Amino acid sequence: MTVRTVADAIDRLAVTEILHRYCSQIDAGNFTAVRELFTDDARGRYWGGEWLEGGDAIVQWLVSTCASALFMHHMDKVYSIEIDGDRATARCHMTAHLTGRDAPGTVMLSVGNYVDELRREDGGWKISSRAFEQGWSELRQADQPEPVQGAAG
């Protein structure tokens, strides 16, 4: 059994909070807050695409990708965190429901994993690498009322 310290527990909670905040702030359309979660030299890769280099490039890609969203709901479950001094690795299961402005009655359900590296900077944790591994996705159809304003920016 691994012996954990209070400091380790505090770090694990802080890392978990960063990863949850990523989802909640994307859903809120608050990309300024999303940018604050990444190191300047962060790398990101989504759906097996090319690596994006730099926190600004990652957020620019996210803004562009999410521009057509009418509603987004990302749910993550952090299931593994390893802390090594000022560095950490984490894995999350992710499920997202996304509707587009052009087809509000269609939802894309996407399921996969995030593989993350984080680094402590200026006393706080930031994402230095984030890769999304798509498991599967499907489209579902159902007539829906308009979502509450502000749900996706």
Side-chain angles (χ1 to χ4, degrees), residues 8-9 11-24 74-83 88-95 112-118 127 130:
D8 183 56
D11 282 338
R12 287 171 180 283
L13 286 171
V15 166
T16 300
E17 172 63 24
I18 292 296
L19 301 175
H20 288 327
R21 192 175 305 148
Y22 171 89
C23 291
S24 67
H74 292 78
M75 298 173 288
D76 66 335
K77 177 180 183 325
V78 181
Y79 66 89
S80 174
I81 298 174
E82 297 297 328
I83 307 284
T89 58
R91 291 187 65 92
C92 304
H93 293 306
M94 192 282 301
T95 302
N113 294 299
Y114 281 116
V115 179
D116 299 302
E117 296 175 11
L118 297 94
I127 301 167
R130 173 155 260 214

Side-chain angles (χ1 to χ4, degrees), residues 30 38 52 60 68 90 100 107 113 121 127 149:
N30 187 350
F38 287 96
L52 303 164
Q60 183 179 36
S68 64
V107 64
N113 294 299
E121 287 190 354
I127 301 167
Q149 287 295 338

Side-chain angles (χ1 to χ4, degrees), residues 86-153:
D86 288 337
R87 297 195 178 268
T89 58
R91 291 187 65 92
C92 304
H93 293 306
M94 192 282 301
T95 302
H97 296 85
L98 311 153
T99 60
R101 294 183 192 286
D102 58 344
T106 301
V107 64
M108 181 178 77
L109 173 60
S110 178
V111 177
N113 294 299
Y114 281 116
V115 179
D116 299 302
E117 296 175 11
L118 297 94
R119 189 168 63 226
R120 191 187 329 254
E121 287 190 354
D122 301 322
W125 289 97
K126 291 191 174 192
I127 301 167
S128 58
S129 178
R130 173 155 260 214
F132 177 67
E133 301 171 338
Q134 176 75 35
W136 61 272
S137 65
E138 68 180 52
L139 295 177
R140 295 180 180 180
Q141 300 286 140
D143 291 332
Q144 298 292 316
E146 288 291 318
V148 176
Q149 287 295 338

